[in-house]
Amino acid sequence: MKNHNYLFCRVGIFLALFFSSCALYGKSSAPYIVKGEMILESENIDEEQNFELGGMNVYFFNKESKPVTEFTIVFTLFDQDGEPISIGRSSIVATIRKTVDPLTSFNCCLSLDQNLCEVPEEPYTVDYLYVSRIVYEDGSQWTDAFGLSVM
């Protein structure tokens, strides 16, 4: 019986180390940096805003040595209590078609109007933000369907 407990303990430690090293590798191997923040109509003084109810400022940095032509971001909106928003869609997927040169950044504002049913009093918190797909100029693609490279 002692041998079985010892074996299970060793296997458990091995698995913990294996999965933690995979997570660390994923963070260092992601070919991008992405950040996002929700803004409301009253906060945006730009007369060319592309939304009525709310938008999201997106920052994307291409860490690769080849140009990006398209990328897909995934994120979730949470209310001030830390709960997924209940009015509208909380999980959002957006594809941005823009050439981003190697080792450069791109900023844009995405409209969230299709995902909101009303203007919130406070901007929602953006979390679980990651890039699920990158298309490069040479036609190659990088994918991470579940955001494992940034967990």
Side-chain angles (χ1 to χ4, degrees):
M1 184 70 169
K2 273 188 169 182
N3 286 339
H4 288 292
N5 289 339
Y6 180 72
L7 179 63
F8 286 129
C9 183
R10 289 184 65 136
V11 169
I13 290 171
F14 171 77
L15 290 174
L17 290 173
F18 176 76
F19 286 117
S20 65
S21 66
C22 289
L24 291 173
Y25 173 75
K27 284 184 182 180
S28 66
S29 68
Y32 67 90
I33 297 171
V34 68
K35 296 179 184 175
E37 161 184 57
M38 184 180 176
I39 58 173
L40 300 176
E41 60 184 338
S42 60
E43 298 174 4
N44 190 351
I45 57 173
D46 182 3
E47 293 187 23
E48 296 182 26
Q49 72 183 25
N50 63 347
F51 62 87
E52 295 287 326
L53 303 176
M56 183 169 129
N57 283 332
V58 175
Y59 168 86
F60 174 84
F61 183 80
N62 178 10
K63 291 171 49 177
E64 286 295 309
S65 60
K66 51 189 174 182
V68 168
T69 57
E70 177 181 307
F71 59 97
T72 301
I73 62 171
V74 179
F75 58 95
T76 304
L77 296 174
F78 293 91
D79 64 17
Q80 59 271 20
D81 297 324
E83 298 294 324
I85 63 170
S86 59
I87 300 176
R89 281 193 0 226
S90 63
S91 296
I92 300 170
V93 178
T95 298
I96 299 168
R97 290 172 182 83
K98 176 72 178 171
T99 299
V100 183
D101 290 326
L103 305 175
T104 59
S105 64
F106 169 70
N107 295 295
C108 68
C109 182
L110 297 177
S111 173
L112 297 177
D113 290 349
Q114 294 179 355
N115 306 97
L116 302 174
C117 297
E118 64 182 25
V119 179
E121 292 179 21
E122 300 280 326
Y124 295 128
T125 301
V126 176
D127 205 355
Y128 304 119
L129 171 64
Y130 64 93
V131 175
S132 64
R133 185 174 76 109
I134 298 174
V135 178
Y136 294 99
E137 191 173 66
D138 64 4
S140 63
Q141 292 188 26
W142 177 89
T143 59
D144 180 12
F146 303 108
L148 297 177
S149 67
V150 292
M151 294 183 120

